[in-house]
Each structure stands twice: as structure tokens, then as C-alpha cells.
């Protein structure tokens, strides 16, 4: 069977469905494919999103009213004996029921006219001088050929198009993440996200996020390049027993869902357009690299890509697709992508620094929360301080001078 369409969206994850909605609302004929047999199953990742950015995104998507969620007032960060409670807007969050959100996105896509096909895997493409002219898709009904004007590649971390365009070289900086939804959590607080930096978590962190009642999310994100001898899951089970902040909260908790995956944190791709193919979401490393949050950055990219496909097709000029990366770079989100990547790099540079672990972990927290500016301009002053007490009061003074809603204590 052969299908002609304006836009082929590869991947019906949160980003693909957002792109499909965006293009279909502009009146395009959109076909969307996913190799999975069920939307959001298995879930490819977590459920925490930054509140102010999600509120902004929702002015276009109108999801918030319909998606069950927990709203938290800020974030608690612990690194060694340093505890910071940050109630800046940026650290307020929603923990959304992501499976509901993804199915709602799929419903909205179908209602907008998208031909959404599950059990359909892109296996090869053939090209012409304008880009991809035909896609071969293996489906539960047999092999299909899809002939699109434009392709939106929203096929995630292991993207077909990343391999096709050889975008994974040189070796990327990636995180391996495992997340458990658990019931029976004895939350220290259910009003904050809790994130923990600990010396034995190679290049990453562990966390406890509230959802509803005793139900919440916990897990580990770590970076294998930092020499970990365990998998993320092994690391999680070890920390659950031995790291007091997890042990006390998770003692009576049991998993009701376990999910995992990889996140490329080597910085957002700048080249997002290849002929008639636009990359979005995890396929394009659109994430806040210091924490691996990809939903909002990817869905924002998808909205722009869908609209740009419509403009290019309407004008009969596919070179207009090249406006997509420029528009993405003009968003306030882009600044955040660049800054969070830069913060991650500065945190990484602490690993080889010979300073006591408690000081290192406190400086990590200061960088993560941008008490130390993302450019790192106050880092050299921090390195001169040799006592934790002194470092924490220096950090508090710095936060106060910047009028940040931050409370730093030793615990
Ligand atoms: C454990 C973990 C926790 C995370 N926690 C958070 C969090 O709290 N907040 C946050 O914002 N982000 C989080 N992330 C990142 C977030 O999950 C991703 O950024 C997000 O899933 C990206 O969406 P996507 O649609 O680009 O990719 P995906 O969700 O990976 O979707 C890609 C889709 O493409 C399909 N596909 C792939 N190849 C093909 C093919 N050849 N043919 C057809 N279909 C194909 C896949 O089946 C999949 O459905 C987390 C990630 C992990 C791994």
C-alpha cells in the first residue's frame, strides 16, 4: 500500500503527537507512525515538568485542566550536608500523569485529523535531491510506502534519523536513567521535589517526587562515562538500602511501575533540518541537560516544526523549513537549554577537583540552583573557601544578594 501525505511524523511519543497536532491544525494531511502497540506503553521517561514553562506551553495545547497532576511549590536539593530549599518560579513543578497526558495528546491529534498508526515501524527511506521522498514502514498489516512532502523526526533517543544522518559521532554524553513509581512512600515533604547529589552516583542524582497520597516517583539518573560499576537500577537498589534520605522515605514502598531509558545530555543539536526532515524532541537532544528534562523543550520544538512544515508547503518552498532552528533559538527556552548544558559541564569539571567531598557537593548544589551564576563567574571565590559552614553562609549571602527565594542550611 502507498500513502501520500504532506507530513510524516515518525514517533508518536509526546513530541511526535505535539508535532502532529501542530501540523494538522494548519490543515495539512498528516500521517503519524509509531512502532509501539500502545501510546505511552512503556512510558519512555518521567513526569516532572517545570511549572512556568509548562504553563506557557499549555496556552497552545490546553492539557493542564484535563491531566491529573501534583503541583509542588519548589525544590529541595541535598548534596552531602548542604540542604537548599528553592522556591524560585523555575523550581516550581508539576508532576503529571504522563500516560494520561500522552493519550490525550494522541486523542487531540486524531481529532485534528491525524492518521495515527501504531504497530508501524520506519525501516528504511529513499531520497531524492529534496530529501526523503519515500519511507518504508513495516506494519501489523504488512509493508507500507509513505510518500511525504516533509518528515518530522520525533523518534526519540535511538532515532532512525540520527543514525541515517550520522549525528551520533563523536561518542555522546548520555545518561542512563531508571524511574520507579512507588506506593507506600513516607514523604519527608510532599510539597517539594527532592533531588539528591551523592558521591557514589556517577555524574548524576537520585530523587523523590510526590504524586498523590503515598504514591510518587523515585529513581536514579547517572552517566556511565563517569566510571560507574553498576547499572542505574543496581545503583538505585543500593541507595534505597544505604542512603539515609532514600531509605527512610522508601522503607515501606513498593514499585507499581518501573521504566527506564537514556537521555543524551551532550547539548541541543543546532542543525535541525536535513533536506525535508526536521528533528524534534529527544531525537534532537532538546532537554534541560543538568536534569535531563525533555518534555517541555521537545514539545516546544514540535509545535514550531509543525507550523513551519505548513508554511513551507503553503509557499511551495521547502527551504523555509530552515527557519525552524532559528525560531527555536529565539525562544526563552533555548536560553535555558544552553545554560543548563553549560551548568552540567561546570558540575562535571568538579569531579577531578581535589577538594573535600562535602564542599564539592555543596558547590554542585549552588551551580544547579544557579546561586553560582551559570557562567561560573563566582566559582573561583567558592574554591577559596575551606570550611563547609563558611561556604554555606557565603552561598546564602550570594542568593540573598540576587534576591533568590532560597534557604540554605547545614544538615
Ligand atoms: C527514566 C527517565 C526519566 C525521565 N524523566 C523526565 C522528567 O521527569 N521530565 C521530563 O521532562 N523529561 C524526562 N525524561 C526525558 C523525557 O522522557 C524525554 O525527553 C521524552 O520522552 C522525549 O519525548 P520524544 O517524543 O522525543 O521521545 P520518546 O518519548 O522516546 O518517543 C519516541 C517514539 O518514537 C517511536 N519510534 C522510535 N523509532 C521508531 C521507528 N523507527 N518507527 C516508528 N516509531 C519509532 C518510539 O516507539 C517512541 O514512541 C526522562 C527520561 C527517562 C529515560
Amino acid at each position: 500500500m502507498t500513502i501520500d501525505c504532506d507530513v510524516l511524523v515518525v514517533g508518536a511519543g509526546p513530541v511526535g503527537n505535539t508535532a502532529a497536532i501542530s501540523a494538522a491544525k494548519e490543515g495539512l494531511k498528516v500521517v503519524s507512525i509509531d512502532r509501539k502497540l500502545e501510546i505511552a506503553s512503556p512510558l519512555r521517561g518521567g513526569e516532572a515538568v517545570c511549572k512556568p514553562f509548562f504553563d506557557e506551553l499549555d496556552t497552545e495545547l490546553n492539557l493542564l485542566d484535563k491531566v491529573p497532576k501534583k503541583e509542588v511549590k519548589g525544590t529541595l536539593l541535598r548534596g552531602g550536608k548542604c540542604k537548599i530549599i528553592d522556591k524560585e518560579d523555575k523550581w516550581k513543578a508539576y508532576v503529571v500523569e504522563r500516560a494520561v497526558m500522552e493519550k490525550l495528546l494522541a486523542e487531540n491529534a486524531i481529532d485534528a485529523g491525524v492518521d495515527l498508526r501504531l504497530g508501524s515501524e520506519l525501516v528504511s527511506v529513499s531520497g531524492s535531491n529534496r530529501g526523503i521522498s519515500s519511507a518504508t514502514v513495516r506494519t501489523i498489516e504488512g509493508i507500507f510506502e509513505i510518500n511525504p512532502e516533509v518528515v518530522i523526526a520525533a523518534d526519540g533517543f535511538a532515532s532512525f534519523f540520527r543514525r541515517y544522518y550520522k549525528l551520533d559521532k563523536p561518542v555522546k554524553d548520555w545518561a542512563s536513567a531508571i524511574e520507579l513509581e512507588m506506593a507506600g512512600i513516607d514523604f519527608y515533604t510532599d510539597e517539594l521535589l527532592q533531588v539528591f547529589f551523592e558521591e557514589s552516583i556517577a555524574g548524576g542524582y537520585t530523587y523523590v517526587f510526590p504524586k498523590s497520597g503515598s504514591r510518587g516517583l523515585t529513581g536514579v539518573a547517572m552517566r556511565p562515562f563517569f566510571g560507574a560499576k553498576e547499572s542505574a537500577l543496581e545503583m538505585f537498589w543500593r541507595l534505597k538500602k544505604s542512603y539515609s534520605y532514600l531509605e527512610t522515605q522508601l522503607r515501606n514502598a513498593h514499585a507499581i511501575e518501573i521504566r527506564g531509558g537514556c537521555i543524551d545530555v551532550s547539548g541541543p543539536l543546532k542543525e535541525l533540518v536535513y533536506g525535508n526532515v526536521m528533528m524534534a524532541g529527544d531525537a534532537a537532544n532538546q532537554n534541560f541537560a543538568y536534569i535531563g528534562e525533555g518534555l517541555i523543550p521537545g514539545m516546544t520544538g514540535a509545535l514550531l516544526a509543525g507550523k513551519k512544515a505548513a508554511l513551507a508547503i503553503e509557499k511551495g518552498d521547502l527551504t523555509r523549513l530552515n527557519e525552524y532552528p532559528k525560531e527555536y533559538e529565539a525562544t526563552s527556552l533555548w536560553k535555558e537549554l544552553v545554560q543548563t548544558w553549560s551548568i552540567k559541564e561546570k558540575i562535571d569539571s568538579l569531579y577531578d577537583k581535589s577538594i573535600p567531598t562535602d564542599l564539592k557537593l555543596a558547590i554542585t548544589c549552588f551551580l544547579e540552583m544557579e546561586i553560582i551564576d551559570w557562567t561560573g563567574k563566582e566559582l573561583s571565590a567558592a574554591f577559596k573557601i575551606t570550611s563547609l559552614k563558611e561556604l554555606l553562609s557565603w552561598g546564602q549571602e550570594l542568593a540573598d544578594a540576587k534576591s533568590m527565594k532560597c534557604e540554605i542550611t547545614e544538615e
Side-chain angles (χ1 to χ4, degrees):
M1 178 155 129
T2 302
I3 305 172
D4 294 327
C5 61
D6 294 320
V7 177
L8 169 64
V9 180
V10 183
V15 172
N17 277 324
T18 303
I21 292 170
S22 170
K25 280 193 172 162
E26 300 289 327
L28 298 185
K29 181 179 178 194
V30 181
V31 176
S32 165
I33 57 167
D34 201 294
R35 61 184 171 202
K36 291 201 291 211
L37 295 172
E38 184 181 344
I39 293 288
S41 176
L43 267 186
R44 268 288 143 247
E47 304 179 287
V49 289
C50 170
K51 178 178 162 11
F53 281 124
F54 200 81
D55 287 340
E56 198 180 320
L57 183 68
D58 202 52
T59 56
E60 297 232 27
L61 289 172
N62 297 313
L63 294 168
L64 273 174
D65 283 352
K66 296 162 210 127
V67 178
K69 62 197 165 297
K70 168 82 184 175
E71 185 174 337
V72 293
K73 296 177 180 157
T75 298
L76 184 162
L77 208 62
R78 286 184 199 270
K81 293 186 185 132
C82 168
K83 172 181 163 193
I84 306 179
I85 293 179
D86 192 331
K87 294 193 174 165
E88 295 286 289
D89 277 355
K90 191 175 156 176
W91 291 97
K92 295 188 164 89
Y94 297 117
V95 184
V96 295
E97 291 290 349
R98 179 163 162 177
V100 177
M101 183 181 87
E102 287 201 30
K103 286 193 176 168
L104 195 60
L105 281 167
E107 180 187 340
N108 291 352
I110 292 165
D111 289 347
V114 174
D115 178 2
L116 173 60
R117 292 164 176 267
L118 296 182
S120 302
E121 179 175 16
L122 174 70
V123 287
S124 68
V125 291
S126 51
S128 68
N129 54 5
R130 68 173 179 82
I132 303 296
S133 55
S134 178
T136 304
V137 179
R138 188 167 46 215
T139 82
I140 41 182
E141 300 165 65
I143 299 287
F144 285 16
E145 290 298 322
I146 303 183
N147 301 329
E149 283 291 306
V150 171
V151 178
I152 299 179
D155 50 348
F157 175 82
S159 165
F160 172 95
F161 292 95
R162 288 175 72 118
R163 291 194 302 280
Y164 188 74
Y165 293 116
K166 301 190 171 42
L167 304 179
D168 284 345
K169 311 248 173 1
V171 179
K172 316 169 286 188
D173 180 6
W174 56 282
S176 168
I178 191 84
E179 179 162 281
L180 294 88
E181 178 162 355
M182 289 186 132
I185 301 178
D186 186 8
F187 290 105
Y188 167 74
T189 165
D190 68 352
E191 299 201 329
L192 301 168
L193 300 183
Q194 298 176 64
V195 178
F196 309 97
F197 291 103
E198 211 271 333
E199 203 189 5
S200 72
I201 306 174
Y205 61 92
T206 181
Y207 56 96
V208 177
F209 297 166
K211 280 188 86 173
S212 166
S214 74
R215 199 157 54 86
L217 300 172
T218 177
V220 162
M222 57 80 143
R223 315 237 295 290
F225 285 154
F226 281 74
K229 302 264 184 301
E230 314 153 290
S231 68
L233 189 58
E234 285 164 342
M235 198 175 266
F236 173 76
W237 292 125
R238 173 176 59 76
L239 291 166
K240 181 178 176 291
K241 276 198 229 120
S242 63
Y243 182 56
S244 65
Y245 296 114
L246 283 196
E247 196 276 325
T248 48
Q249 297 184 82
L250 304 183
R251 196 175 291 156
N252 301 312
H254 294 274
I256 54 175
E257 187 175 332
I258 302 178
R259 54 183 85 128
C262 299
I263 309 163
D264 189 327
V265 289
S266 54
L269 295 188
K270 294 209 43 131
E271 301 283 327
L272 296 175
V273 182
Y274 298 84
N276 63 345
V277 178
M278 285 184 284
M279 315 279 295
D282 274 14
N285 296 359
Q286 290 169 337
N287 58 50
F288 300 144
Y290 65 178
I291 202 110
E293 183 179 334
L295 286 168
I296 295 169
M299 289 161 79
T300 304
L303 280 174
L304 293 175
K307 286 181 189 158
K308 203 45 72 185
L311 179 83
I313 289 171
E314 187 207 331
K315 302 284 179 202
D317 178 6
L318 291 184
T319 64
R320 301 291 300 264
L321 299 180
N322 294 310
E323 294 167 14
Y324 157 54
K326 291 185 198 124
E327 283 181 17
Y328 193 65
E329 287 181 30
T331 60
S332 52
L333 207 78
W334 174 260
K335 203 170 123 229
E336 199 63 23
L337 257 63
V338 172
Q339 292 185 4
T340 57
W341 174 80
S342 165
I343 291 168
K344 179 206 64 130
E345 294 284 293
K346 292 197 173 53
I347 290 174
D348 291 354
S349 72
L350 299 178
Y351 272 82
D352 295 332
K353 205 136 180 91
S354 48
I355 50 173
T357 305
D358 264 358
L359 300 183
K360 204 182 273 192
L361 290 170
I363 295 172
T364 300
C365 293
F366 292 172
L367 279 165
E368 185 85 9
M369 295 227 141
E370 291 175 68
I371 293 166
I372 290 179
D373 188 80
W374 71 273
T375 57
K377 68 177 175 196
E378 293 106 350
L379 258 180
S380 53
F383 290 147
K384 287 191 188 126
I385 302 171
T386 52
S387 105
L388 181 67
K389 205 170 267 323
E390 223 180 287
L391 182 64
L392 299 188
S393 67
W394 174 84
Q396 185 68 66
E397 276 169 32
L398 199 57
D400 293 346
K402 295 177 181 179
S403 307
M404 294 175 74
K405 292 182 201 142
C406 259
E407 204 185 291
I408 304 174
T409 48
E410 183 176 348
E411 213 179 82

